[in-house]
């Protein structure tokens, strides 16, 4: 049996993932392809518990602990959800994956690339997404969307410089591996972005 494809959707906070996830969901439904939607941090019972801890603005977490918790949640996610589904021929779409750790914990918080790459190897070996759709918006758009969030989590409370580093890390990663990433500018016309995402998926499954 052919294995499923692993697709991740990532980007800075406020990049508009929720809207585009709905577009992706509709596309899979129209194509009648088996798919499992999940998210990081989270996706499993343990992962969702870790997510709660990591997003809680009242909990102090050291930068390295946060990084390790992201990978702990990811380990469980891979073992319990991602790999078994792909093995069964079910495609998996994850709202965020390891690119977020490089962007947020790496560029945002200053954890070295070597440490993150070491954890990536430990948890994933050479496993990585077949396709990563990177949603990009100018920083001003991201910040104004975050500003409208009523109860900001630990990450949403970060400052402009933090998000600037996160955004630039995402774009650099995408530029360095163009065969795996597609950068979608998410401030264009809604219908245009929808069509672009549908075309990206159609190409992947052609
Ligand atoms: P969400 O807002 O997309 O649900 O994600 C929750 C937050 O978690 C978001 O601000 C980014 C952050 N995050 C990291 O810092 N590192 C990671 O590895 C992942 C997966 C998410």
């Amino acid at each position: 049996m052919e294995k499923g494809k692993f697709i991740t959707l990532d980007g800075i906070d406020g990049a508009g993932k929720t809207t585009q996830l709905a577009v992706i969901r509709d596309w899979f439904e129209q194509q009648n392809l088996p798919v499992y939607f999940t998210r990081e941090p989270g996706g499993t019972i343990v992962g969702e518990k870790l997510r709660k801890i990591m997003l809680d603005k009242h909990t102090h977490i050291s930068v390295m602990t946060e990084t390790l918790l992201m990978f702990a949640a990811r380990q469980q996610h891979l073992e319990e959800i991602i790999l078994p589904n792909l093995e069964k021929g079910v495609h998996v779409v994850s709202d965020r994956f390891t690119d977020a750790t490089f962007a947020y914990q790496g560029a945002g918080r200053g954890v070295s690339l070597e440490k993150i790459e070491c954890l990536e190897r430990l948890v994933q070996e050479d496993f990585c997404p077949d396709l990563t759709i990177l949603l990009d918006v100018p920083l001003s758009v991201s910040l104004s969307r975050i500003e409208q969030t009523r109860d900001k989590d630990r990450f949403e409370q970060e400052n402009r410089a933090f998000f600037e580093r996160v955004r630039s890390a995402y774009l650099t990663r995408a530029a360095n591996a163009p065969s795996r990433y597609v950068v979608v500018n998410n401030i264009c016309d809604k219908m245009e972005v929808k069509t672009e995402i549908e075309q990206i998926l159609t190409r992947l499954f052609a």
Side-chain angles (χ1 to χ4, degrees), residues 12-24:
I12 189 171
D13 281 82
K17 285 188 290 108
T18 312
T19 313
Q20 302 317 325
L21 271 171
V23 169
I24 298 174

Side-chain angles (χ1 to χ4, degrees), residues 13 17 40-41 51 55 70 74 96 100-101 104-105 155:
D13 281 82
K17 285 188 290 108
E40 288 208 351
R51 178 187 176 95
L55 266 57
M70 288 293 176
R74 186 160 299 136
R96 296 196 187 280
T101 315
Y104 281 80
Q105 281 65 50
F155 294 98

